[in-house]
Structures are given as structure tokens and as C-alpha cells.
Amino acid sequence: MLFLFLSELTGFIATEIVNELYVDDPDKSSGGKIDVSLNISLPNLNCDLVGLDIQDEMGRHEVGHIDNSMKIPLNHGFGCRFEGEFTINKVPGNFHVSTHSATAQPQSPDMTHIIHKLAFGEKLQVQHVQGAFNALGGADRLGSNPLASHDYILKIVPTVYEDLSGKQRFSYQYTVANKEYVAYSHTGRIIPAIWYRYDLSPITVKYTERRQPLYRFITTICAIIGGTFTVAGIIDSCIFTASEAWKKIQIGKMS
């Protein structure tokens, strides 16, 4: 009884995470925007040349985005670490790290890089949810062609996490495919860039925390107690019947 009680108590205290899929835009209060956090190092490109450009199908075309961004020199000023937080519209588009916003274009820009972080929406740190919230984190392209452009094709999946209190947090997972190529401008010059082309999935993933109801826990405990006594009574009755039968056999032999 004690073992079964402790097992049920552990199951009652533990939180279960249930996931489901549905078609909807879960975060309607966001105004059609998605927060983006980007952290990337370009060890062979000066910070004066590094810029972030944003484009989408709603007509947005922003060259040299600087709001909520920071450039940290690397390798004694020969390299740069770009950290930025910005928003994108919930329509297909792209943002890219390039030298397009520089006043003077370098002769041979080196786009080898390491992506430390690319995440969308609110940060989720939940122990039992293993999702692709930072799928490009740790991507190392230092060994690639310095003059090559990099295309990262992202499929962004809306994700909702609802805790036991009913509070919801909105984030985004994403899948990624990539290719590397050398691109030439109309003048014949090579102008590489790091492209992040994104599209949104209509499917939303929802994670919900659930705990066993109290009435079910009480019902199970009562069933354990009653079942234990019932089984014990059956065993006791069988033993008593067998004992009485054995006594009668022994008395018959003696008589």
C-alpha cells in the first residue's frame, strides 16, 4: 500500500506537458510583428562595413538597420561581432548581413562567419520542451569560400507554451536549409551577403502543462486501499479454507 501510494503521489505532483497542432495565428496582440534576436561574428570583416538590411512582401526595404544593434570589434579591429534585436512582419521576406550600407564597398569582402544565435519571439526555457528555437546557433562557416554568399532558408513555426496558471508565452521554432554560392552584381563585382529568407508556417505548435486532478488522485488512493484489503481478504480466506481442510484430513486419518 505504501509503495502504491508513493507512486501515485509522485505522478500527482509531476507536471505533464501535452502538445497539439492547430491552424491559427496565436499571438494576435503582436500587431503582426515578430521579434528577432541575431548574434553573429564575422572575424574578417571590419565593423564599418557590416550592416543589416530588411525586406519583405509588404514593401519594407530598410538598408543599414541600426536600432537596438551593437557592433563589437574583433581581431584588433579586423573583424566584427554584430548583435541586434529587431522586428519583422508576419509575411515572407528576408533580412541579410552585408556591406550594402557601407559608404564604400570593399574589393574583397570576407563573409566567413559563426552564428551564435538566431531566435524569434519570446525566449522559452522549459526543461521538457526540446524544440528548434535556436536551430542555427553554433553554425560555423569559417571554412567556406570568403567571397561566397550564404542563403539560409527558414520555415518559422509559431509556438505557444501555456503553464498551469493559464499564462501563455509566444515563441517561434524554425527549420533551416542552406546553400552557398558566388553572386555577381550587374557591374561584374562579387558582393557577398548572408541571407536569411523566411516564411511562416500556418501550423501552430502548442505545449500545455497539465497535472492530474485532485479528485482522480483521491479516487485512486481509495481504490488502492480498498483493493489491497479486498485482495488480502481473499488470500486470508483461501489460506483459512485450506487450513481447515487440512485439519479435517488430519483428523480423518487419526480416527
Side-chain angles (χ1 to χ4, degrees), residues 106-161:
Q107 290 297 321
S108 56
D110 187 335
M111 281 293 167
T112 54
H113 61 277
I114 299 176
I115 301 174
H116 306 289
K117 179 183 179 183
L118 176 61
F120 300 87
E122 187 177 350
K123 185 177 181 181
L124 288 181
Q125 285 186 326
V126 184
Q127 182 178 1
H128 300 291
V129 174
Q130 302 296 329
F133 297 99
N134 186 22
L136 276 174
D140 188 335
R141 300 291 183 269
L142 295 181
S144 61
N145 183 351
L147 296 177
S149 289
H150 299 265
D151 256 12
Y152 295 101
I153 315 299
L154 313 177
K155 193 71 171 181
I156 301 175
V157 182
T159 303
V160 184
Y161 187 87

Side-chain angles (χ1 to χ4, degrees), residues 15-205:
T15 301
E16 179 187 11
I17 297 179
V18 180
N19 58 51
E20 59 182 310
L21 304 176
Y22 60 92
V23 179
D24 194 11
D25 178 10
D27 191 10
K28 295 181 177 63
S29 63
S30 65
K33 303 287 186 181
I34 300 176
D35 294 327
V36 184
S37 178
L38 175 64
N39 188 331
I40 183 172
S41 291
L42 299 94
N44 301 309
L45 194 64
N46 189 278
C47 282
D48 293 336
L49 303 173
V50 176
L52 176 69
D53 310 327
I54 307 172
Q55 298 173 278
D56 63 35
E57 293 186 359
M58 290 183 66
R60 181 182 183 183
H61 190 181
E62 186 175 348
V63 179
H65 179 88
I66 58 174
D67 294 338
N68 297 321
S69 63
M70 179 171 56
K71 300 177 184 179
I72 304 172
L74 302 175
N75 298 337
H76 306 288
F78 291 102
C80 186
R81 179 167 179 155
F82 178 87
E83 299 180 10
E85 294 184 355
F86 53 97
T87 60
I88 56 175
N89 295 314
K90 291 183 178 180
V91 295
N94 75 79
F95 52 92
H96 51 277
V97 177
S98 67
T99 61
H100 299 164
S101 61
T103 53
Q105 294 297 318
Q107 290 297 321
S108 56
D110 187 335
M111 281 293 167
T112 54
H113 61 277
I114 299 176
I115 301 174
H116 306 289
K117 179 183 179 183
L118 176 61
F120 300 87
E122 187 177 350
K123 185 177 181 181
L124 288 181
Q125 285 186 326
V126 184
Q127 182 178 1
H128 300 291
V129 174
Q130 302 296 329
F133 297 99
N134 186 22
L136 276 174
D140 188 335
R141 300 291 183 269
L142 295 181
S144 61
N145 183 351
L147 296 177
S149 289
H150 299 265
D151 256 12
Y152 295 101
I153 315 299
L154 313 177
K155 193 71 171 181
I156 301 175
V157 182
T159 303
V160 184
Y161 187 87
E162 183 176 317
D163 60 21
L164 289 172
S165 65
K167 180 182 178 182
Q168 292 186 337
R169 287 182 285 171
F170 302 97
S171 187
Y172 296 85
Q173 304 181 64
Y174 62 93
T175 59
V176 58
N178 68 284
K179 62 179 179 179
E180 179 182 328
Y181 59 94
V182 177
Y184 295 87
S185 68
H186 63 280
T187 61
R189 292 184 60 187
I190 300 177
I191 306 180
I194 304 169
W195 296 83
Y196 303 92
R197 306 180 192 273
Y198 61 88
D199 194 5
L200 272 79
S201 169
I203 303 296
T204 295
V205 180

